[in-house]
Amino acid sequence: MNEKSAPYISQSKDLNQKIEDLISQMTLEEKVGQMSQLAGHPGLDDRLMNSIRNGEVGSVLNQVGVQDLNELQRVAVEESRLGIPLIFARDVIHGFQTMMPIPLGQAASWNMELIEKGARVSAVEAARDGIHWTFAPMIDLTRDPRWGRIAESPGEDPHLGSEVGRAMIRGFQGKNLSDKDSIAACAKHFAGYGFSEAGRDYAFVNLSDSELYNFVLPAFKEAVKEGVATFMTGFSDINGIPATAHKRLLKSILREEWDFDGFTVSDWDSVVQLITHGFAENEESAAYLSQSAGLDMEMASRSFHFNLCNLVTSGKIPVTSIDQSVQRILKLKFQLGLFQTPYTDPELFPVSGNEDHLRAAEEIAAESLVLLKNDFDKLPLDSDQIQKLAVIGPLADDGFEQMGTWTFDGVEDWCLTPLKSIRKYALDKFELRYSKGLKTSRTKDRTGFIDALSVASWADTVVMFMGEESILSGEAHCRANIDLPGIQHELIEEISKLGKSTVLVIMAGRPLSLTQTLPLTNALLYAWHPGTMGGPAIKDVLFGLKAPSGKLPVSFPKSSGQIPIYYNHRRSGKPASHETFTHIDHIPARAAQTSVGNTSFHLDDGFEPLFPFGFGLGFSKVAYHDIELSGRTITKDGTITVCIELINQGQHMIHEVVQLYIRDNVASSTRPVKELKAFQKIKLNPQESRQVEFTITPDMLGFYNSENNWVVESGDFRVWVGGDSNARQSAKFQYQD
Ligand code: NOJ
């Protein structure tokens, strides 16, 4: 049966009419069925098939294998009364079978074209396997590296996060949702989940409106503008109201203010968790509270199935509210072309893991790498100079671990590890020996030290691969202490005593605090979990075949105690400076209170992070000349052009992320010290200089004020342009309404 032959589909050309016609023929039970998403099971589950046959299911998540999906679809299309196709969902977060770097790593590339390409590859591979809908992008802004899900997030900045989200949506959804290789995207988790208290997953969220509007919501608003098909609510509450029953978020903001016309889905069981939150008394009230707050589809739990019909017949929920949800869900099914082409034929798609897909994964992996330290220009390694290279560490040769947190379907066998890639490159160039040193990143077993130290003693250059396995980050995998786990620091310390040239490559799902470890190595390359092609990407950057070009999407704290530390914090009445900061070691005996500076810092860790947002080195230094502005005043309809000249002062190609930050000097609410408003990634050959131009527009100057209204206030502003959030070149300008 297809759209033409389905008896219940009207031949109206108008989509809304078609949907209305269909809804008018549905029973209340069938409508509620469309609003229910059930989990699939390995193989085919009779109970699930029966529910589908009875019209009790609108969507299935986590059922895998195209044959099984086609069979479930056959039951829906041919055996249910109305033949409405199912929409199949899956967490395709940073790859399907070919894994891209974790989203935090992708954000570190600041390369939106590559991020879009990565999402495109993921969409093609997922669609080939029968998936229609991914639960991505996750655009939760977070400032907490203890939170395991920072791995999935685009980091701490609303502008960068919005751009990353938009690029992913473009990639997943393609040109047209109806294209066979497009999948619907889902902006999640709406909203505030990234502020889970103490970085503990599923904890409560205390979030002021100012932070909500100015930091958390922008990426979601941009997702709507980019045409994202769906939204997912979060697990947490915000100031006492669980996100899954948050009327203000789901109705006033999402629908009334932003005009979103897609549908919303809960997170897994988050409707019935309203009971555990102590917000709903029972499943009936959970269904009532979430649906009447604006939730369209329930994931996994079945409170809608068991209660919505009664809630409608008893008059508690108007049927128009149900019809509206069903309208939104059916609309996406039509847009995806599911009524016309309900089944997937993998033969019509390119094979997964093909050369193009692997190349896309390699490109983004290479650009996600952030060079954080490079004393004495240790990197790039010169293969003519090296004679004996030691590769050491638990993460040097572990394809599975380099794939990262959301790797349901990632193919381990396709992964090229750093060891394999460097070994291949070494062949006739230099000798290579490998020692794992530690069985895992977190073991306390030192027996591997002897071998690791003997391999390191033999070598002239040592490259260490340390960090965290993928299981140490991601959903529900939070850490109170973000130091290098286990005894990795000790191993690095022992190796450093040998006096060799050392390079440390960290693979991790979060920023780790590396304050103690940093002095023990000449160079530090941060590789996140780089995905299937992490190995060749890392090898290329280590040996200078590619320029390191990643920049941090999140500040790196010196210690867990500094968290949260982020660059775009509001201005304090007593800001710290290098002049006022007094380190605990320098407090004189019997000091008076006033002798420590009395500004906003920690006595032990100061006021700056270990590495600031936006930071990342290249192999050459870039000099930024003075900023030139096209004018000093900007009006409501005007713009100012910012011009800056950059020079690559070194002998290596540079791939620089030029960042523009703005501060509103005086406003009706205290404003951030600076905020990223634009960036460009540009290539500079050795010694090349280039003019870079940005346009400042009034909307870059506005903010949500204490009444949650968007305002652009007249007055003085400052703009900075540079290679990180500590950019020095700046100029003043004014906005006049
Ligand atoms: C729970 C996670 O919070 C969410 O991000 C994910 O999409 C769903 N489970 C479905 O697997």
Side-chain angles (χ1 to χ4, degrees):
M1 184 152 66
N2 62 29
E3 188 181 338
K4 295 260 157 38
S5 56
Y8 297 96
I9 303 297
S10 81
Q11 296 307 309
S12 167
K13 293 258 177 311
D14 178 66
L15 179 58
N16 289 331
Q17 190 58 53
K18 235 185 184 51
I19 297 169
E20 248 179 60
D21 289 350
L22 183 52
I23 292 179
S24 70
Q25 299 170 72
M26 294 170 80
T27 63
L28 185 54
E29 286 74 11
E30 283 164 340
K31 291 176 185 174
V32 173
Q34 287 304 307
M35 297 165 70
S36 305
Q37 181 181 58
L38 292 189
H41 301 275
L44 288 172
D45 178 82
D46 281 343
R47 268 186 315 174
L48 177 62
M49 306 258 267
N50 270 336
S51 302
I52 295 171
R53 204 168 278 125
N54 295 339
E56 294 168 7
V57 188
S59 171
V60 172
L61 84 155
N62 288 351
Q63 179 82 45
V64 278
V66 66
Q67 278 170 356
D68 286 352
L69 290 173
N70 279 340
E71 176 55 14
L72 291 185
Q73 192 69 301
R74 191 196 60 73
V75 175
V77 170
E78 294 189 7
E79 298 183 12
S80 74
R81 190 180 78 91
L82 291 172
I84 299 175
L86 296 163
I87 177 168
F88 295 124
R90 183 97 171 133
D91 288 290
V92 183
I93 312 291
H94 54 102
F96 185 63
Q97 290 183 291
T98 304
M99 298 309 298
M100 309 298 146
I102 54 169
L104 192 61
Q106 294 190 42
S109 77
W110 298 59
N111 188 329
M112 300 308 132
E113 257 176 58
L114 293 186
I115 294 176
E116 181 177 339
K117 217 196 232 181
R120 190 85 288 278
V121 165
S122 311
V124 173
E125 292 192 352
R128 181 180 192 273
D129 228 43
I131 309 297
H132 310 128
W133 178 22
T134 176
F135 297 130
M138 190 269 223
I139 42 178
D140 293 313
L141 180 139
T142 186
R143 300 162 174 168
D144 203 326
R146 293 171 300 183
W147 191 46
R149 299 197 83 166
I150 195 170
E152 280 178 71
S153 95
E156 75 186 30
D157 185 70
H159 179 64
L160 180 61
S162 301
E163 293 299 306
V164 170
R166 292 179 64 162
M168 287 187 179
I169 293 164
R170 288 195 294 275
F172 289 132
Q173 298 195 164
K175 287 199 186 73
N176 263 309
L177 276 174
S178 60
D179 293 344
K180 68 173 185 310
D181 58 6
S182 287
I183 59 176
C186 181
K188 72 184 189 187
H189 304 85
F190 195 55
Y193 183 38
F195 283 69
S196 290
E197 198 166 276
R200 218 171 48 242
D201 213 2
Y202 317 130
F204 9 84
V205 168
N206 293 308
L207 193 61
S208 71
D209 267 5
S210 165
E211 297 287 284
L212 178 71
Y213 273 86
N214 288 302
F215 288 94
V216 173
L217 294 184
F220 289 99
K221 189 172 180 186
E222 290 302 311
V224 173
K225 286 195 203 150
E226 196 60 58
V228 72
T230 64
F231 262 58
M232 185 189 293
T233 62
F235 281 127
S236 42
D237 77 339
I238 305 166
N239 308 329
I241 309 293
T244 298
H246 207 296
K247 205 177 238 163
R248 181 167 152 233
L249 279 174
L250 294 174
K251 283 201 166 157
S252 319
I253 296 178
L254 187 58
R255 302 290 177 191
E256 286 154 29
E257 285 181 35
W258 300 349
D259 225 6
F260 175 62
D261 64 357
F263 72 85
T264 54
V265 62
S266 74
D267 203 339
W268 186 288
D269 278 355
S270 71
V271 174
V272 292
Q273 284 162 12
L274 296 178
I275 306 169
T276 345
H277 274 291
F279 191 73
E281 218 175 340
N282 51 33
E283 291 205 6
E284 184 190 23
S285 117
Y288 168 75
L289 288 166
S290 53
Q291 163 38 220
S292 55
L295 184 72
D296 299 314
M297 184 182 276
E298 177 178 19
M299 182 192 291
S301 52
R302 303 203 75 189
S303 72
F304 278 16
H305 169 75
F306 289 114
N307 299 286
L308 280 188
C309 291
N310 286 345
L311 285 164
V312 172
T313 42
S314 65
K316 287 203 180 118
I317 292 186
V319 72
T320 47
S321 170
I322 303 290
D323 285 352
Q324 195 171 40
S325 293
V326 176
Q327 188 272 343
R328 292 171 183 146
I329 294 163
L330 291 178
K331 184 164 168 204
L332 183 60
K333 293 187 175 184
F334 276 107
Q335 286 172 327
L336 285 167
L338 297 181
F339 284 88
Q340 288 210 301
T341 319
Y343 304 113
T344 301
D345 178 359
E347 297 294 318
L348 302 175
F349 291 79
V351 291
S352 295
N354 64 47
E355 242 176 70
D356 288 345
H357 292 189
L358 295 176
R359 198 173 318 116
E362 188 173 337
E363 278 172 355
I364 178 93
E367 294 210 14
S368 72
L369 307 175
V370 189
L371 182 61
L372 293 175
K373 178 177 178 181
N374 197 15
D375 279 1
F376 317 113
D377 293 336
K378 278 290 172 215
L379 291 179
L381 298 174
D382 183 346
S383 54
D384 292 337
Q385 298 289 319
I386 297 175
Q387 285 170 355
K388 297 172 182 174
L389 183 86
V391 172
I392 292 176
L395 295 168
D397 194 28
D398 197 327
F400 177 79
E401 299 303 345
Q402 77 187 40
M403 286 196 290
T405 175
W406 276 109
T407 47
F408 280 150
D409 308 280
V411 180
E412 188 181 344
D413 285 353
W414 297 350
C415 288
L416 294 179
T417 64
L419 178 67
K420 285 196 183 73
S421 310
I422 299 173
R423 192 166 260 155
K424 191 165 163 207
Y425 179 72
L427 273 182
D428 50 350
K429 298 189 183 70
F430 49 82
E431 277 188 77
L432 183 152
R433 286 192 195 167
Y434 161 62
S435 173
K436 196 167 179 183
L438 295 160
K439 280 208 184 78
T440 66
S441 75
R442 52 205 190 274
T443 183
K444 300 268 167 59
D445 178 357
R446 304 171 62 96
T447 42
F449 273 35
I450 299 169
D451 185 53
L453 288 169
S454 108
V455 168
S457 312
W458 159 86
D460 49 69
T461 305
V462 182
V463 184
M464 299 171 277
F465 290 87
M466 307 280 180
E468 288 180 335
E469 287 85 10
S470 50
I471 191 70
L472 298 190
S473 59
E475 186 176 345
H477 293 79
C478 305
R479 296 182 60 204
N481 177 343
I482 60 160
D483 291 346
L484 264 179
I487 49 173
Q488 294 180 93
H489 174 81
E490 286 174 43
L491 179 56
I492 297 168
E493 197 166 33
E494 295 291 314
I495 291 172
S496 80
K497 287 183 194 152
L498 301 172
K500 310 282 175 167
S501 271
T502 54
V503 177
L504 175 60
V505 180
I506 296 284
M507 290 191 186
R510 59 162 58 79
L512 292 174
S513 78
L514 296 165
T515 311
Q516 312 304 327
T517 311
L518 197 60
L520 305 179
T521 178
N522 301 125
L524 171 63
L525 185 69
Y526 217 82
W528 319 101
H529 288 133
T532 307
M533 297 302 280
I538 291 171
K539 178 265 293 169
D540 280 354
V541 170
L542 289 179
F543 289 93
L545 309 175
K546 280 191 181 144
S549 70
K551 299 268 188 178
L552 297 179
V554 65
S555 308
F556 271 42
K558 286 182 184 150
S559 64
S560 303
Q562 269 193 324
I563 300 167
I565 186 160
Y566 50 98
Y567 86 95
N568 44 7
H569 57 83
R570 295 197 302 277
R571 293 167 72 186
S572 138
K574 278 173 162 285
S577 66
H578 291 284
E579 286 71 46
T580 58
F581 168 53
T582 315
H583 192 273
I584 195 162
D585 294 344
H586 301 137
I587 301 177
R590 301 184 64 81
Q593 280 297 323
T594 48
S595 53
V596 294
N598 286 6
T599 58
S600 179
F601 58 76
H602 289 122
L603 286 169
D604 40 11
D605 276 340
F607 58 97
E608 291 169 308
L610 184 61
F611 297 110
F613 173 84
F615 178 76
L617 300 167
F619 287 148
S620 292
K621 288 215 162 48
V622 186
Y624 283 80
H625 279 193
D626 289 342
I627 290 183
E628 283 174 28
L629 299 186
S630 61
R632 292 278 161 184
T633 306
I634 177 170
T635 52
K636 215 175 181 170
D637 309 309
T639 58
I640 291 182
T641 307
V642 182
C643 238
I644 192 158
E645 188 174 278
L646 268 69
I647 301 177
N648 176 354
Q649 295 179 313
Q651 297 310 317
H652 295 275
M653 153 84 106
I654 282 287
H655 206 170
E656 173 76 338
V657 181
V658 186
Q659 302 158 43
L660 178 135
Y661 295 87
I662 291 181
R663 171 202 286 178
D664 185 347
N665 274 341
V666 183
S668 59
S669 301
T670 52
R671 302 286 305 125
V673 288
K674 61 177 66 146
E675 295 175 287
L676 179 77
K677 292 294 171 184
F679 59 87
Q680 293 177 35
K681 195 162 185 176
I682 58 157
K683 284 198 170 128
L684 284 176
N685 289 317
Q687 303 297 320
E688 186 185 344
S689 64
R690 177 100 77 86
Q691 286 272 54
V692 175
E693 270 188 24
F694 291 97
T695 306
I696 300 182
T697 54
D699 59 295
M700 290 180 176
L701 312 178
F703 65 100
Y704 287 92
N705 68 9
S706 52
E707 271 88 51
N708 303 334
N709 291 323
W710 177 255
V711 289
V712 187
E713 296 180 346
S714 295
D716 288 345
F717 289 80
R718 183 167 284 280
V719 56
W720 289 259
V721 180
D724 60 51
S725 55
N726 283 339
R728 296 239 160 73
Q729 312 303 332
S730 78
K732 261 174 36 179
F733 65 95
Q734 279 201 329
Y735 174 73
Q736 271 172 19
D737 201 355

